[in-house]
């Protein structure tokens, strides 16, 4: 049986505001500000979901989890790690397995190092895989632009999937 490899990339940005929890990769991080969004605004989970959907040509996160219209209410305040579980469940049911995920978060503060391991663990669990296949990195934006001014956070993710048989769908 032919094994096909599929690559996907996802990028997401959310605004930083006061009075919101700061959730990244399913982990709540102590912070005076948090991410603004329709769901829990977990920018890292969102980038991973977009990467997965992109790899299999299944559109984007807005298509699967709309934030407007009759479906929008369903996802208000949603747990993005659970959204990731749902997205991955659909993709895995189509015969895909995750080879690896590599993600980067750009923000000025707080330092994410103490939380990286917990984020990798949470993402790996949602994806039904081991931590060794999940990488999360963090960097600053050298104080440049909206990230530098701490107005927002950017996450980027790349996934590589394999499919048991390439039927081109
Ligand atoms: Mg988002």
């Amino acid at each position: 049986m032919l094994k096909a490899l599929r690559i996907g990339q996802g990028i997401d940005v959310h605004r930083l505001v006061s009075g919101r929890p700061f959730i990244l990769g399913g982990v709540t991080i102590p912070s005076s500000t948090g991410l603004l969004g329709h769901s829990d605004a977990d920018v890292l989970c969102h980038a991973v979901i977009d990467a997965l959907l992109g790899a299999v040509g299944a559109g984007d996160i807005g298509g699967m989890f709309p934030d407007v219209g009759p479906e929008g209410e369903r996802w208000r305040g949603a747990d993005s790690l659970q959204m990731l579980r749902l997205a991955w469940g659909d993709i895995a049911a189509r015969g895909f397995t995750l080879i690896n995920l590599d993600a980067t978060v750009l923000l000025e503060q707080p330092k994410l190092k103490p939380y990286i391991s917990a984020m990798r663990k949470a993402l790996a669990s949602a994806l039904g895989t081991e931590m060794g296949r999940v990488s999360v990195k963090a960097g600053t934006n050298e104080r440049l632009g909206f990230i530098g001014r701490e107005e927002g956070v950017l996450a980027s993710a790349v996934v590589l999937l394999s499919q048991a048989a390439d039927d081109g769908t």
Side-chain angles (χ1 to χ4, degrees):
M1 202 182 285
L2 259 181
K3 280 251 183 193
L5 296 180
R6 304 288 292 252
I7 194 167
Q9 65 104 21
I11 297 173
D12 194 29
V13 169
H14 278 265
R15 191 181 290 270
L16 271 174
V17 295
S18 55
R20 289 269 300 182
F22 192 10
I23 301 169
L24 272 183
V27 176
T28 301
I29 292 164
S31 172
S32 59
T33 56
L35 297 170
L36 183 65
H38 183 72
S39 65
D40 66 5
D42 185 333
V43 68
L44 174 55
C45 280
H46 292 185
V48 174
I49 290 170
D50 256 355
L52 291 167
L53 294 173
V56 302
D60 62 22
I61 187 169
M64 184 165 186
F65 306 103
D67 59 3
V68 292
E71 269 278 284
E73 278 313 300
R74 188 174 164 202
W75 306 112
R76 185 180 297 282
D79 174 350
S80 297
L81 200 63
Q82 181 61 20
M83 290 160 63
L84 175 59
R85 265 189 213 100
L86 291 170
W88 176 245
D90 283 1
I91 293 166
R94 290 171 55 183
F96 289 96
T97 56
L98 178 75
I99 296 178
N100 74 307
L101 156 67
D102 185 23
T104 304
V105 181
L106 290 183
L107 80 175
E108 298 299 329
Q109 57 96 20
K111 291 292 174 207
L112 296 185
K113 195 174 177 187
Y115 311 104
I116 293 285
S117 178
M119 287 190 264
R120 290 176 63 207
K121 192 171 174 182
L123 292 170
S125 168
L127 295 166
T129 190
E130 58 266 29
M131 271 176 75
R133 292 181 184 272
V134 174
S135 159
V136 176
K137 312 186 297 300
T140 74
N141 212 41
E142 298 287 341
R143 291 265 158 216
L144 292 167
F146 72 89
I147 300 167
R149 293 189 297 270
E150 299 182 24
E151 294 168 0
V153 174
L154 181 146
S156 160
V158 176
V159 296
L160 188 64
L161 309 181
S162 75
Q163 191 178 20
D166 186 4
D167 59 4
T169 59

